[in-house]
Amino acid sequence: MPETPFWWKHGIVYQIYPRSFQDSDGDGIGDLRGVIDRLDYLNDGTERSLGIDAIWFSPTYPSPMADFGYDVSDYEDVHPDFGDLATMDELIAKAHARGIRIILDFVPNHSSSEHPWFLESRSSVDSPKRDWYVWRDAKPEGSPPNNWIAVFGGPAWEWDQATQQYYLHEFLKEQPDLNWRNPELVQRMHDVLRFWMRRGVDGFRIDVMDRILKDPQLRDNPPALDRNAARRFGQTALQQHTQDQNWPEIIDAVRMIRTVVDEFPERMTVGEVFGTPENIVRYYGGDKLDGLHLAFNFPLVRIWDRRWTAEHVRAKVDGFEAALPKGAWPNYVLGNHDVDRFVSRVNGDGRGQERARVAALLLLTLRGTPFVYYGDELGMENVDVPDDRLQDPARKYGRGRDPERTPMQWTNDGGFTSGEPWLPYGDLARNVEQQSADAQSLLSLYRRLAWFRRGSKALRFGDYAAVDGTPRGIFAYTRSHGDERLLTVLNFTNDAIAFELAALAVREYVDGTHDGGAASGRRIELAANEGRLLRLE
Ligand code: NOJ
């Protein structure tokens, strides 16, 4: 593996939802052996492959699968559906041999209610592990200790009849919250990180980073300012989560995690946090940058039809750039296992597939680490899963996430499994085999962009500057490093002629030719006109 301490800045991270990428044993559930078999698709060192630099796996640990792996019952093993530790070791070694890093999902906020720690904790109020979770007495009239609403809906407290106390669960009741104020628990969780780093894991995507510490006094959350938000985001949006999310002391726990991760060279962390850009960047640790390496920047996943405009996207990019502390590195996410597929989010007028091309160009040419959700490189769309095949328990509390978790589409017949897939396939006309044979396909565009990016210092670590004064519907920016200077011009409208003119004007502006100045440096132009890549030199 070449030494590249900043691989997490320069590389493309590809998210694999392990149940859905490739099944090797015909049980209809994806597994690690399946991923090993597909490593060449991800990066075989040539432009025939996707050219990614790292894989982030959603959880692969033993779990009763109440929340499909985000309910961990053993942090130091692999779920038998996915394989075993030996297969994980083999996967790490074979990925490394191709220069691909491995990022695991670390789930510190809660375990499974079937984790031996919780079973011990709930066995008695005197259990040595009682304090590893958050237990409280009922209020005098018997109600929960406070008004917190769980993310999936309903009270965040579950009554335990045997020991006559409530325990806290910010997600399902099968996901009791761990107590990050207990030093023993903290030590144990740090050791989990060391366990995986010793096995060669390169980094961690940290689940629910913004909730691991709460108000120690457990005071009520105030009501939401916008009561309508609940309609879109579920019951949990009936409250402002001032007491149970983004609690200021979390940064201390983050710094301790960073210290542990820094015991091993070239490792990284990316945390799941929500809020304003100002809030998100706090997790980088301020001027010292001693917090997370990256904190997820989610505005692009919150874009639905109306907001997919040049102006809105530019505002989000510039907003994050402006908020970052000096030296901190941005990142961009178009999709993940919790939100509608990108194409489906912007498909109100049926042009979602074209927009996916502009989005690919945006994601792979902005300054910042790109996160690509498996299948987005094919333009996979939400799948309408029949009621009798729905899987995600969260659907009982709001929106289920099955539509964006369906099997990877490899061939006209699917190619994901020889058995019955755990979720149905989407439109199989959109598959790897077919798109590999078509130079105009979205997959071919992703491949070209990824490999172009690998060869471009300007794209991997150059400066970003938006071009002002572009016509409505055009977002243009330069990326520069030394004497390499690139211009990306993105047309968010479908007016081709206006775009040709706009692109010309932008080009002149950037070259300085509009006022007679000389063009400086090498200029390569990347332009997308609602999907058509005008030139990629
Ligand atoms: C965020 C994960 O992305 C989501 O899938 C999960 O349900 C919750 N955290 C709880 O772990």
Side-chain angles (χ1 to χ4, degrees):
M1 184 86 122
E3 259 186 50
T4 43
F6 298 117
W7 60 271
W8 51 272
K9 285 185 171 179
H10 311 152
I12 300 171
V13 183
Y14 186 82
Q15 182 190 352
I16 287 184
Y17 197 67
R19 293 181 80 79
S20 297
F21 193 63
Q22 180 64 57
D23 174 25
S24 73
D25 58 9
D27 66 358
I29 297 172
D31 47 46
L32 298 182
R33 171 71 48 207
V35 177
I36 293 173
D37 294 344
R38 293 291 188 185
L39 283 174
D40 278 348
Y41 168 75
L42 298 175
N43 196 339
D44 69 358
T46 77
E47 301 187 11
R48 287 189 305 273
S49 62
L50 195 52
I52 58 106
D53 301 82
I55 303 171
W56 149 33
F57 285 100
S58 287
T60 45
Y61 314 101
S63 158
M65 297 286 169
D67 187 15
F68 287 104
Y70 286 97
D71 49 322
V72 179
S73 54
D74 182 350
Y75 285 95
E76 295 176 346
D77 207 342
V78 171
H79 193 293
D81 280 351
F82 300 136
D84 53 21
L85 277 175
T87 322
M88 178 62 95
D89 291 343
E90 184 184 334
L91 170 61
I92 295 170
K94 291 191 166 154
H96 283 177
R98 287 168 173 77
I100 301 174
R101 311 270 177 165
I102 299 294
I103 299 171
L104 293 190
D105 219 306
F106 178 55
V107 189
N109 183 68
H110 44 264
S111 74
S112 161
S113 53
E114 292 182 28
H115 195 297
W117 300 342
F118 187 69
L119 297 180
E120 196 175 325
S121 181
R122 82 183 305 174
S123 66
S124 137
V125 285
D126 303 319
S127 151
K129 293 220 167 32
R130 187 69 170 180
D131 189 46
W132 281 34
Y133 293 84
V134 184
W135 291 95
R136 287 293 182 283
D137 291 336
K139 281 188 175 166
E141 76 284 6
S143 60
N146 66 24
N147 72 348
W148 296 355
I149 301 176
V151 173
F152 293 141
W157 296 93
E158 182 70 11
W159 179 246
D160 182 58
Q161 191 58 29
T163 58
Q164 295 285 300
Q165 278 193 317
Y166 281 97
Y167 68 84
L168 178 66
H169 61 90
E170 293 269 30
F171 291 82
L172 300 172
K173 67 177 176 9
E174 292 84 359
Q175 295 167 294
D177 277 40
L178 289 159
N179 178 14
W180 277 72
R181 294 188 186 277
N182 179 299
E184 267 182 52
L185 176 274
V186 173
Q187 276 310 319
R188 188 64 192 87
M189 292 304 272
H190 288 171
D191 283 344
V192 168
L193 297 171
R194 294 186 180 101
F195 172 87
W196 289 108
M197 289 189 287
R198 270 187 221 111
R199 296 193 102 89
V201 163
D202 301 283
F204 301 95
R205 176 267 188 190
I206 308 183
D207 189 61
V208 194
M209 185 78 262
D210 57 2
R211 288 183 189 248
I212 64 171
L213 287 166
K214 294 93 180 163
D215 174 3
Q217 296 177 50
L218 301 176
R219 284 166 290 194
D220 280 357
N221 280 325
L225 298 175
D226 170 11
R227 307 283 294 184
N228 290 329
R231 247 185 267 138
R232 278 190 295 146
F233 300 110
Q235 271 186 40
T236 188
L238 288 170
Q239 298 184 335
Q240 300 173 62
H241 289 271
T242 53
Q243 315 304 114
D244 64 347
Q245 191 173 22
N246 293 315
W247 189 254
E249 290 168 288
I250 294 177
I251 190 63
D252 303 331
V254 169
R255 288 198 170 101
M256 284 160 75
I257 288 176
R258 174 64 181 261
T259 308
V260 173
V261 169
D262 282 349
E263 290 169 14
F264 296 75
E266 298 185 31
R267 310 301 154 110
M268 66 84 80
T269 51
V270 52
E272 185 195 33
V273 298
F274 295 96
T276 59
E278 290 66 32
N279 176 60
I280 290 166
V281 302
R282 281 194 309 115
Y283 288 87
Y284 283 84
D287 291 344
K288 286 201 185 138
L289 297 181
D290 57 357
L292 298 172
H293 296 77
L294 299 173
F296 271 136
N297 176 25
F298 283 139
L300 300 183
V301 305
R302 298 231 190 71
I303 287 185
W304 277 266
D305 289 299
R306 209 164 43 81
R307 293 202 155 174
W308 181 250
T309 65
E311 292 69 29
H312 181 78
V313 169
R314 175 179 172 180
K316 293 298 172 191
V317 171
D318 288 354
F320 198 66
E321 283 276 354
L324 279 174
K326 200 165 170 291
W329 190 249
N331 66 88
Y332 294 93
V333 187
L334 277 182
N336 64 29
H337 61 293
D338 290 329
V339 290
D340 291 312
R341 286 277 181 184
F342 174 79
V343 172
S344 304
R345 272 186 275 130
V346 296
N347 204 25
D349 59 1
R351 297 212 321 271
Q353 289 293 342
E354 294 162 39
R355 294 192 177 104
R357 301 179 68 90
V358 178
L361 204 64
L362 176 79
L363 184 68
L364 296 180
T365 66
L366 279 174
R367 188 182 90 107
T369 308
F371 285 81
V372 178
Y373 184 49
Y374 84 96
D376 276 1
E377 72 275 26
L378 306 174
M380 275 174 61
E381 300 183 14
N382 274 10
V383 176
D384 197 4
V385 180
D387 284 357
D388 61 349
R389 295 197 61 182
L390 288 172
Q391 303 273 351
D392 183 11
R395 73 183 185 281
K396 295 178 203 132
Y397 308 91
R399 202 187 77 83
R401 297 160 294 179
D402 297 313
E404 62 265 23
R405 295 177 175 181
T406 59
M408 180 70 172
Q409 299 170 186
W410 296 100
T411 62
N412 290 329
D413 311 325
F416 159 73
T417 179
S418 58
E420 178 67 13
W422 77 288
L423 280 174
Y425 289 113
D427 175 6
L428 285 177
R430 205 175 300 292
N431 67 61
V432 171
E433 199 172 73
Q434 179 257 331
Q435 292 201 18
S436 297
D438 174 4
Q440 300 309 313
S441 67
L442 184 60
L443 177 59
S444 296
L445 174 60
Y446 261 94
R447 285 177 175 157
R448 280 207 301 284
L449 283 170
W451 284 94
F452 180 76
R453 192 177 191 279
R454 292 179 84 83
S456 164
K457 288 189 173 159
L459 286 189
R460 282 187 300 143
F461 33 83
D463 295 338
Y464 156 89
V467 176
D468 289 327
T470 52
R472 233 186 139 59
I474 305 289
F475 176 24
Y477 47 90
T478 55
R479 299 291 317 282
S480 354
H481 184 268
D483 62 4
E484 186 189 7
R485 191 162 183 227
L486 305 182
L487 166 65
T488 302
V489 184
L490 300 169
N491 183 13
F492 283 68
T493 76
N494 64 345
D495 182 343
I497 296 173
F499 175 60
E500 300 279 353
L501 293 174
L504 191 69
V506 170
R507 240 171 265 156
E508 288 177 357
Y509 175 92
V510 170
D511 284 353
T513 47
H514 67 296
D515 61 7
S520 59
R522 182 160 87 90
R523 192 203 68 218
I524 297 178
E525 201 178 300
L526 301 168
N529 177 29
E530 268 250 317
R532 198 158 49 87
L533 192 64
L534 290 188
R535 196 185 311 166
L536 181 57
E537 296 174 339

